[in-house]
Amino acid sequence: MNIQVSPSPIPNSNAVSLTSMLDRDDYLTGLLDQVTATKTEGWLQELRQSAANWVRHSVIPTTREEEWRFTDLSSLRKVQFNVETRNFASVASVEFDILLEAANSRLVFVNGVFAPELSAVSDLPSGIVVSNLAGLSGVEQQAVQQYLAQAEGAQEVFTALNTAGITDAAVVWVKKNVVVETPIHLVFISGETATISQPRCLVVAESGSQVTLVEEYTNRRGAESAENGVYLTNAVTEVWVGDNAEVSHTRVEWEGAEAFHIGKTAIAQARDSRYTCHAITLGAKLSRHNLEILQTGEQTQTTLNGLTIISGKQLSDTHSAIALNYPHGTSDQLHKCIVGDRAHAVFNGKVFVPKPAQLTNASQLNRNLLLSSKARVDTKPQLEITADNVKCAHGATVSQLEDDEIFYLQSRGIDENDARKLLINAFAAEVINKIPVPSLREILLNTVNNLKSLTNE
């Protein structure tokens, strides 16, 4: 696999606030003490210790920082989270959707702990490794060392906190020229009240390989259950796409209604590689997804499709950054938000095109649908271009359901709520229908159709 270290990383990807020992963040230190209580050995412990040293001199971001000015984490600081290992007594009652296409290609983690009795990896071809970190052979673990926690942005405070607490991880490794037809389903289940879980995922697609990945974050009781408790998921996924490799990646977040979800997805794309991400955000009281793509070779193709659907008092923040450092790269990004009640959606998308990245073709569009007068969206698509021979465009729209469209449907015998559902479903379907796993598409379309909070019912 040929993945080069780029001389032009994603700007500010490592930016965190540093403090003196006298002014350190006691709340963050308390979280760190929780996640580092369990020790490991060898290279993994050294990796964790290095990250922990960084966290001890960092602070949790506040709204005074530009990258977090719309996302207030003060409510997070009011909760004292504890690390809860898997509750073995309740594993049998855990429910999640088993995708028909991935019925035997699934890894499940409960409260951050691998659950072999819920996992199934019997339907995999030769040339692919799907395992938790602890289940790898010694040779495989040596190979993992070259990639785990090596992506750009490793010193961002929540990413470093995750690294400091690594005891296990989901690992998907596709060997050179292996084409995997079966989707790989990674399920991370949380939900214990006042707990913090830190899922970690590493995906390596060697040169010429192809793989489809579904990454799911869910609550064992369901996103709309009244029994949901307050908990924190701090997830990190690293994806390394080798020369001429292809990764299709669907990320679904439908945590509990009172949960906090902070996620990082870091992708490195080598020459002639193709990466597609479908990021679906439905759950959590407060969610933040940092999506960072680093081009490390020429002629890459990057496609990002995002859909956020929130209501009540939910806050969902998506920050993406695409660093196109080499010539002939293409990127196409569409992010859509459906915002109801008093919910608040945030989108900040950056595309960096420095001078070496000539003949780049990049487009970015954020479309937002507000379903109430008190719904809010803050959007900031950005292009930073110094190359002079490129084709780049960006834009954002904010709209509401049109009265004349609803009236037209009513004139055809459809009541107002059903008319609103049809229009909302059509808006969402543009993204959902691009997901390459049919059973997941059906689940998501049904979920959107049954969200009563998006209608007047």
Side-chain angles (χ1 to χ4, degrees):
M1 184 174 183
N2 181 18
I3 294 181
Q4 303 171 348
V5 177
S6 171
S8 178
I10 297 173
N12 299 322
S13 62
N14 285 330
V16 295
S17 299
L18 299 182
T19 65
S20 69
M21 289 300 291
L22 294 177
D23 298 323
R24 71 181 184 180
D25 189 327
D26 289 337
Y27 180 82
L28 179 60
T29 301
L31 284 179
L32 179 64
D33 291 341
Q34 284 284 333
V35 303
T36 56
T38 301
K39 303 301 181 182
T40 53
E41 297 180 354
W43 67 271
L44 185 58
Q45 185 61 33
E46 292 179 6
L47 180 68
R48 294 178 61 195
Q49 187 60 54
S50 177
N53 292 340
W54 185 268
V55 174
R56 290 193 186 280
H57 296 277
S58 306
V59 297
I60 290 178
T62 70
T63 54
R64 292 190 297 271
E65 299 179 37
E66 178 64 23
E67 294 295 294
W68 290 84
R69 66 191 184 103
F70 295 118
T71 303
D72 186 356
L73 297 178
S74 58
S75 58
L76 175 72
R77 302 178 72 99
K78 296 177 182 179
V79 184
Q80 297 299 316
F81 295 102
N82 299 300
V83 173
E84 177 70 32
T85 57
R86 189 182 61 165
N87 186 340
F88 288 90
S90 65
V91 166
S93 65
V94 169
E95 296 182 2
F96 60 93
D97 291 311
I98 296 178
L99 302 180
L100 177 64
E101 300 85 349
N104 293 301
S105 55
R106 178 183 70 250
L107 292 182
V108 180
F109 291 73
V110 178
N111 293 337
V113 180
F114 179 56
E117 62 271 54
L118 299 178
S119 304
V121 291
S122 61
D123 189 25
L124 295 173
S126 60
I128 179 172
V129 175
V130 179
S131 172
N132 65 318
L133 181 62
L136 297 177
S137 68
V139 173
E140 290 168 339
Q141 289 211 18
Q142 286 182 352
V144 163
Q145 293 180 47
Q146 302 177 45
Y147 298 99
L148 187 64
Q150 301 304 309
E152 278 294 332
Q155 293 175 326
E156 186 272 328
V157 61
F158 287 105
T159 306
L161 180 65
N162 180 290
T163 302
I166 293 176
T167 55
D168 207 350
V171 178
V172 178
W173 193 298
V174 189
K175 296 183 179 179
K176 183 177 180 180
N177 295 328
V178 173
V179 177
V180 184
E181 302 288 349
T182 304
I184 309 302
H185 189 193
L186 306 178
V187 187
F188 300 96
I189 303 171
S190 302
E192 297 297 328
T193 300
T195 60
I196 175 175
S197 63
Q198 299 203 108
R200 188 72 178 226
C201 179
L202 174 67
V203 180
V204 179
E206 294 188 13
S207 61
S209 64
Q210 295 181 26
V211 66
T212 298
L213 176 73
V214 176
E215 177 186 1
E216 178 183 355
Y217 297 91
T218 187
N219 170 262
R220 63 163 54 95
R221 300 180 183 91
E224 295 189 321
S225 171
E227 299 181 10
N228 283 317
V230 179
Y231 63 92
L232 169 62
T233 299
N234 179 33
V236 175
T237 296
E238 297 169 285
V239 182
W240 300 83
V241 192
D243 293 349
N244 197 36
E246 181 173 352
V247 174
S248 177
H249 181 193
T250 301
R251 184 186 195 272
V252 182
E253 181 272 291
W254 39 23
E255 301 271 19
E258 296 298 318
F260 297 88
H261 180 96
I262 297 175
K264 159 74 79 65
T265 305
I267 298 95
Q269 282 191 257
R271 183 185 179 97
D272 296 317
S273 65
R274 299 165 300 285
Y275 173 79
T276 300
C277 181
H278 310 280
I280 312 296
T281 300
L282 301 173
K285 174 183 177 181
L286 184 153
S287 63
R288 165 77 174 232
H289 183 210
N290 295 319
L291 176 59
E292 298 176 356
I293 292 87
L294 179 65
Q295 183 195 39
T296 64
E298 297 183 6
Q299 210 162 310
T300 60
Q301 297 178 26
T302 307
T303 304
L304 306 180
N305 299 308
L307 175 65
T308 296
I309 304 178
I310 52 176
S311 59
K313 295 183 180 180
Q314 286 180 278
L315 186 152
S316 178
D317 184 347
T318 297
H319 269 60
S320 66
I322 307 172
L324 300 170
N325 300 316
Y326 293 84
H328 301 284
T330 64
S331 69
D332 185 8
Q333 181 174 22
L334 171 64
H335 190 85
K336 306 184 82 170
C337 299
I338 302 174
V339 190
D341 300 326
R342 296 174 179 264
H344 181 190
V346 180
F347 173 76
N348 185 298
K350 303 182 184 72
V351 181
F352 302 98
V353 188
K355 194 169 184 178
Q358 300 295 336
L359 299 172
T360 288
N361 187 342
S363 65
Q364 181 184 77
L365 177 61
N366 174 221
R367 296 183 61 199
N368 303 280
L369 180 63
L370 303 185
L371 302 181
S372 79
S373 60
K374 295 182 180 179
R376 175 182 171 186
V377 61
D378 288 285
T379 178
K380 188 181 180 183
Q382 295 177 243
L383 291 176
E384 296 188 16
I385 305 170
T386 53
D388 54 13
N389 186 10
V390 298
K391 182 180 179 181
C392 298
H394 67 173
T397 64
V398 180
S399 62
Q400 297 177 319
L401 294 176
E402 297 290 341
D403 290 337
D404 56 348
E405 293 178 347
I406 296 175
F407 177 77
Y408 174 82
L409 293 172
Q410 287 180 295
S411 71
R412 295 299 185 269
I414 301 173
D415 66 38
E416 181 180 355
N417 278 327
D418 287 340
R420 288 170 61 88
K421 278 187 178 182
L422 282 173
L423 295 172
I424 293 169
N425 290 351
F427 187 87
E430 183 181 3
V431 173
I432 294 175
N433 284 337
K434 295 178 181 180
I435 294 174
V437 183
S439 61
L440 180 58
R441 286 202 306 267
E442 183 178 356
I443 291 169
L444 290 171
L445 289 171
N446 288 336
T447 299
V448 174
N449 188 56
N450 293 327
L451 287 175
K452 295 182 180 180
S453 57
L454 298 181
T455 69
N456 292 329
E457 293 180 342

